[in-house]
Structures are given as structure tokens and as C-alpha cells.
Amino acid sequence: HKLVREAAREWVKREVSPIIEDYAQRAEFPKQIIKGLADIGAFGPYIPEEYGGAGLDHISYGLIMQEIERGDSGVRSTASVQSSLVMYPIWKYGNEEQRMKYLPKLASGEFMGCFGLTEPNYGSDPGSMITNFKDMGNHYLLNGAKMWISNAPFADIAIV
Ligand SMILES: Cc1cc2nc3c(=O)[nH]c(=O)nc-3n(C[C@H](O)[C@H](O)[C@H](O)COP(=O)(O)OP(=O)(O)OC[C@H]3O[C@@H](n4cnc5c(N)ncnc54)[C@H](O)[C@@H]3O)c2cc1C
């Protein structure tokens, strides 16, 4: 756990802290740090290695997120959304084909994901949501609106 924390802390000090204020003022995300986030195991640390994860425990996940948060809350959101709201549901509720297709690429940062729960009229109250989908035979038609979705501007996949 100390090693995991140190590695994350050193990386944040080197790669995030020096640049983040400038990016924040310009309202931009520093996409060049995505590879480094993957390298320190920030994407799905507790996902088993067979799916590209780091095979660490949840304490390690917490320590990595704490160190990233120390540098910047937005960067931590990017990593924890990818880990807890995109990789976890695919690992827990997806089928084997979906796990193999998405998890290794999400762990390496080749794919970025977002999670769309919150809606303009009903916030994050799932019971009131109006977004819905229809099975159109050869595709699904998704109708609705979401807001406040972290990573959405550059995400390759969305869990809705
Ligand atoms: C930086 C940021 C990133 C985000 N990223 C994501 C994301 O990636 N994906 C996503 O889906 N969402 C995301 N969100 C949205 C976030 O999940 C919601 O903003 C949050 O869950 C609260 O919902 P809301 O803003 O609609 O507040 P509301 O649900 O409207 O709640 C407002 C206040 O009213 C209270 N309240 C609400 N309903 C009741 C009730 N029935 N009785 C009593 N009190 C009540 C709540 O406790 C709260 O204090 C993000 C938000 C931020 C700020």
C-alpha cells in the first residue's frame, strides 16, 4: 500500500501539479496525462489482471484516488468514473464478451468511458428518469438527455 501510494504521489507531483492550474483556467482537460494515469494503475486498479486491471485491492484504489485528488479533483473524477462507474459495471454485470472487449482498453486508457445517470429535470433521482431505449431489431434507439456527465466530451463509450 505504501508503494502504491508513493508511486501515485510522485507521478501526481511530476505530471499533474505543475500544469493543472493553467488547464483549469482554460477549462481544458490535459489529455496527455491519460497514459500516465493508466501506468500508475488508476483505471480499474481492482479489476483482475486477466481483464487488463492491476489486480490490486480496494484500499490501493482509495490510496491512488486520494493522491490524484491531492493534485486535482477533476483528474480524480476522470479516473474514478472510469474505474467505478464504467469498468466496474462492465466487470460485474457485463457478459464475458463485453468484459474482454472493453476492460483491457479501458484499463490502458485507449478507451475512455463516461456514466450518464443525471438528467436535466430530475437530477440523480433514478425513479423519475425519462431517458429510455427501444429495441429496433438491429440496433437500440436511445432517447433522452443527460447533464453533468464527467468525461462525456471525449468518452469513447457511455454507460447509460
Ligand atoms: C463535477 C460533477 C461531476 C459529475 N459527474 C457526473 C457523472 O459523471 N455522471 C452523472 O450521472 N452525474 C454526474 N454529476 C451529477 C451529480 O451526480 C448530481 O449533481 C448529484 O447526484 C446531485 O443531483 P442534483 O444536482 O440533480 O441535485 P438534486 O438531486 O436536485 O438534489 C439537490 C438537493 O436536494 C436534496 N434532495 C433531492 N431530492 C430530495 C427529496 N426528494 N427529498 C429531500 N431532499 C432532496 C438533495 O439531497 C440535494 O441536497 C456530476 C456533478 C458534478 C458537480
Side-chain angles (χ1 to χ4, degrees):
H1 289 144
K2 284 181 178 168
L3 262 174
V4 164
R5 187 177 63 183
E6 269 320 298
R9 185 170 295 183
E10 282 310 308
W11 180 82
V12 169
K13 266 192 201 158
R14 207 174 54 240
E15 304 291 335
V16 180
S17 302
I19 61 159
I20 205 62
E21 181 61 24
D22 179 47
Y23 275 88
Q25 292 305 330
R26 289 187 283 118
E28 255 184 59
F29 184 84
K31 287 198 191 125
Q32 72 274 17
I33 66 171
I34 285 176
K35 167 86 173 58
L37 282 167
D39 289 345
I40 61 163
F43 298 146
Y46 53 82
I47 298 288
E49 286 173 277
E50 60 184 300
Y51 299 120
L56 297 168
D57 60 2
H58 282 81
I59 293 175
S60 301
Y61 178 37
L63 290 169
I64 295 169
M65 292 306 117
Q66 192 172 37
E67 291 304 321
I68 299 174
E69 179 83 31
R70 210 177 156 94
D72 183 68
S73 186
V75 175
R76 193 275 309 145
S77 295
T78 286
S80 61
V81 163
Q82 178 98 336
S83 300
S84 291
L85 301 180
V86 179
M87 296 178 75
Y88 180 79
I90 292 173
W91 176 47
K92 182 87 180 164
Y93 304 107
N95 60 34
E96 195 56 19
E97 191 188 342
Q98 291 167 330
R99 289 184 190 134
M100 294 310 288
K101 182 173 176 186
Y102 295 114
L103 292 176
K105 287 183 175 163
L106 288 162
S108 71
E110 187 184 333
F111 277 2
M112 292 304 292
C114 67
F115 176 82
L117 169 78
T118 307
E119 297 195 351
N121 291 333
Y122 301 105
S124 53
D125 171 13
S128 305
M129 285 181 186
I130 55 176
T131 294
N132 62 85
F133 71 88
K134 285 196 181 73
D135 186 348
M136 307 297 284
N138 62 351
H139 66 280
Y140 289 102
L141 181 65
L142 186 61
N143 271 318
K146 298 286 177 180
M147 64 185 294
W148 295 107
I149 310 305
S150 303
N151 296 356
F154 52 78
D156 302 287
I157 67 166
I159 305 281
V160 178

